[in-house]
Amino acid sequence: MDIEHVRSRFKKHFDGAEGYVFASPGRINLIGEHTDYNGGFVFPGAVDKGIIAEIRPNGTDKVKAYSIDLKDYVEFGLNEEDAPKASWARYIFGVCREMIKRGVEVKGFDTAFAGDVPLGAGMSSSAALESTYAFALNELFGEGKIDKFELAKVGQATEHNYCGVNCGIMDQFASVFGKKGHLMRLDCRSLEYQYFKFEPVGYRLVLVDSVVKHELASSAYNKRRQSCENVVAEIKKNHPEVEFLRDCTMDMLNEVKANVSEEDFMRAEYVIEEVQRVLDVCDALEKGDYETVGQKMYETHQGMSKLYEVSCDELDFLNDTAFDCGVTGSRVMGGGFGGCTINLVKNELYDTFVTTVKERFAKKFGRSPKIYDVVIGDGSRRLV
Ligand code: GLA
């Protein structure tokens, strides 16, 4: 992330002025996919890539926003009817509105931002953007009175209310709470979380980007969520205490097999198994048992591909290639429908794996995948 770049662009666009500078990261997730909105566990970490924004209150009731990467400038007011059309600006607008709803007296500001989280790669570039502005507006207009969880919820509500994605809390949580060198296990029902030092000796994490852009809003993400809710409603008839799929066992699911669609059944089966896999991975990590961690990652991929059906040919191919190369663990990461696989690779295998996966992918799909080494970084913060 290049702060000087952002500062010089801000100066140029806003008459030589200087503002305050904030940053928030994208995220990875070791395991626990599509479990967040099912009240289950997730295991993300923030990365060293993210969004940097410079912001300065401008004494008006207008936000003047410049996207440095897209070279696009948008102005909007702060009332509900002022929603801008540009999708990148809707994130900022949504955050302003959600902060206002929580009692923060947001006023007009000038802002320019840039990022280095690859877009549509499943690394939560949008959460990074939301967290940056939620954190910044809290400092600049809210005297820091909104707590960190609520800031994450501001980002999530922005997705729900202004961007059409009924996402869970994982991405925004990871972006706000990230800590260098640590993964976080979050219980998405109680919102209890725990930091886990993540320094795998002899292994490294690498992302392989299929460069198939995932588009959560237009994809079947919301439909997956609906399937889960359908099954819960059915199970609740026999077990009123059940609130989320997280509370369900395979026995409970089997009881309602005749009453739910085959598709909904498969979705729920995946989630019930995935919730357990996060716990298994935490146990394995505490014992330094990376082989088990890796095996669970492969199981997640199978589940996401065959039961939850959020993979695609390119991602399945990347997963198969990782397996062929002897990579310890590999799976599609994030919402799916494109984006990256996350791979747990032995140090000595790294070079061969990267060369092989690039070669084979290019041969099959006619373009190169992108490789990102994972560095676990800090969450939302003020830089200047
Ligand atoms: C997206 C959503 C998250 C989560 C993941 C899948 O990243 O924003 O809330 O559901 O997909 O684990």
Side-chain angles (χ1 to χ4, degrees):
M1 285 200 277
D2 184 356
I3 179 172
E4 287 319 318
H5 180 55
V6 174
R7 300 220 81 185
S8 70
R9 297 290 108 183
F10 183 87
K11 240 187 191 141
K12 180 154 176 261
H13 276 272
F14 298 107
D15 302 326
E18 288 195 344
Y20 305 95
V21 186
F22 297 86
S24 290
R27 60 110 188 87
I28 55 139
N29 185 26
L30 186 63
I31 199 150
E33 227 60 90
H34 292 276
T35 45
D36 56 356
Y37 53 83
N38 285 301
F41 299 96
V42 291
F43 207 4
V47 291
D48 62 340
K49 300 184 194 323
I51 297 280
I52 294 186
E54 184 154 356
I55 305 180
R56 187 190 56 158
N58 60 18
T60 75
D61 56 0
K62 291 267 183 302
V63 173
K64 302 176 182 189
Y66 182 61
S67 162
I68 297 169
D69 300 327
L70 299 174
K71 297 190 175 51
D72 195 13
Y73 176 79
V74 169
E75 252 183 65
F76 55 83
L78 289 161
N79 297 317
E80 200 58 34
E81 62 274 16
D82 296 327
K85 288 211 175 63
S87 57
W88 64 266
R90 289 183 76 87
Y91 291 109
I92 302 175
F93 175 77
V95 169
C96 293
R97 290 296 311 158
E98 291 298 332
M99 293 297 279
I100 291 169
K101 288 178 202 169
R102 286 161 179 78
V104 174
E105 288 183 32
V106 178
K107 301 270 187 308
F109 56 88
D110 298 342
T111 184
F113 73 95
D116 58 359
V117 200
L119 298 180
M123 292 173 71
S124 301
S125 48
S126 54
L129 186 58
E130 291 147 10
S131 307
T132 301
Y133 283 94
F135 192 89
L137 299 186
N138 192 32
E139 298 253 314
L140 298 179
F141 301 108
E143 294 157 1
K145 69 179 175 200
I146 308 281
D147 73 41
K148 279 167 84 177
F149 253 114
E150 203 55 37
L151 292 180
K153 287 180 185 168
V154 162
Q156 184 191 23
T158 297
E159 296 278 352
H160 290 196
N161 300 331
Y162 299 93
C163 308
V165 182
N166 294 330
C167 64
I169 190 73
M170 168 168 74
D171 304 349
Q172 293 78 10
F173 164 80
S175 185
V176 173
F177 283 80
K179 183 168 163 185
K180 202 172 178 171
H182 290 75
L183 297 180
M184 299 161 281
R185 185 179 72 192
L186 172 68
D187 178 331
C188 299
R189 189 176 57 190
S190 66
L191 295 185
E192 276 164 6
Y193 64 96
Q194 208 183 328
Y195 286 101
F196 280 73
K197 214 177 188 90
F198 188 69
E199 288 167 340
V201 181
Y203 295 82
R204 56 204 279 189
L205 283 177
V206 57
L207 306 182
V208 183
D209 187 353
S210 65
V211 209
V212 176
K213 291 261 180 277
H214 85 152
E215 237 312 335
L216 286 187
S218 60
S219 76
Y221 183 91
N222 294 349
K223 213 175 144 207
R224 296 296 181 281
R225 185 169 185 161
Q226 189 56 53
S227 289
C228 297
E229 284 165 12
N230 294 344
V231 174
V232 168
E234 214 41 57
I235 292 180
K236 238 179 151 68
K237 292 181 186 163
N238 304 336
H239 303 275
E241 72 284 4
V242 160
E243 201 188 336
F244 295 107
L245 275 182
R246 143 82 181 282
D247 310 316
C248 302
T249 59
M250 276 308 289
D251 284 345
M252 292 178 180
L253 177 60
N254 281 319
E255 281 169 19
V256 298
K257 191 163 188 171
N259 311 334
V260 298
S261 72
E262 207 178 311
E263 200 177 86
D264 288 358
F265 184 90
M266 278 162 38
R267 309 298 188 237
E269 182 180 355
Y270 160 76
V271 171
I272 292 172
E273 290 171 356
E274 181 71 354
V275 170
Q276 184 56 43
R277 275 192 288 267
V278 183
L279 299 177
D280 294 345
V281 160
C282 290
D283 286 348
L285 270 185
E286 274 173 347
K287 294 185 201 127
D289 175 4
Y290 292 102
E291 291 305 313
T292 301
V293 173
Q295 189 197 321
K296 296 288 162 194
M297 291 168 75
Y298 279 112
E299 286 174 19
T300 294
H301 187 88
Q302 278 304 101
M304 285 179 83
S305 177
K306 303 290 179 292
L307 296 174
Y308 220 63
E309 297 184 295
V310 292
S311 186
C312 60
D313 288 349
E314 289 85 347
L315 289 166
D316 287 346
F317 185 83
L318 290 177
N319 186 258
D320 289 343
T321 310
F323 188 79
D324 279 355
C325 290
V327 167
T328 307
S330 176
R331 66 178 195 80
V332 43
M333 188 183 77
F337 311 106
C340 296
T341 58
I342 178 167
N343 301 272
L344 180 66
V345 190
K346 283 205 173 101
N347 287 341
E348 60 270 25
L349 202 68
Y350 178 85
D351 290 337
T352 326
F353 170 55
V354 168
T355 316
T356 313
V357 80
K358 277 185 175 167
E359 256 173 39
R360 290 199 197 166
F361 191 90
K363 203 162 160 204
K364 175 130 176 113
F365 298 105
R367 59 184 150 76
S368 251
K370 291 195 179 140
I371 308 290
Y372 312 116
D373 289 320
V374 173
V375 178
I376 309 284
D378 283 323
S380 300
R381 60 207 180 271
R382 177 164 159 192
L383 299 180
V384 175

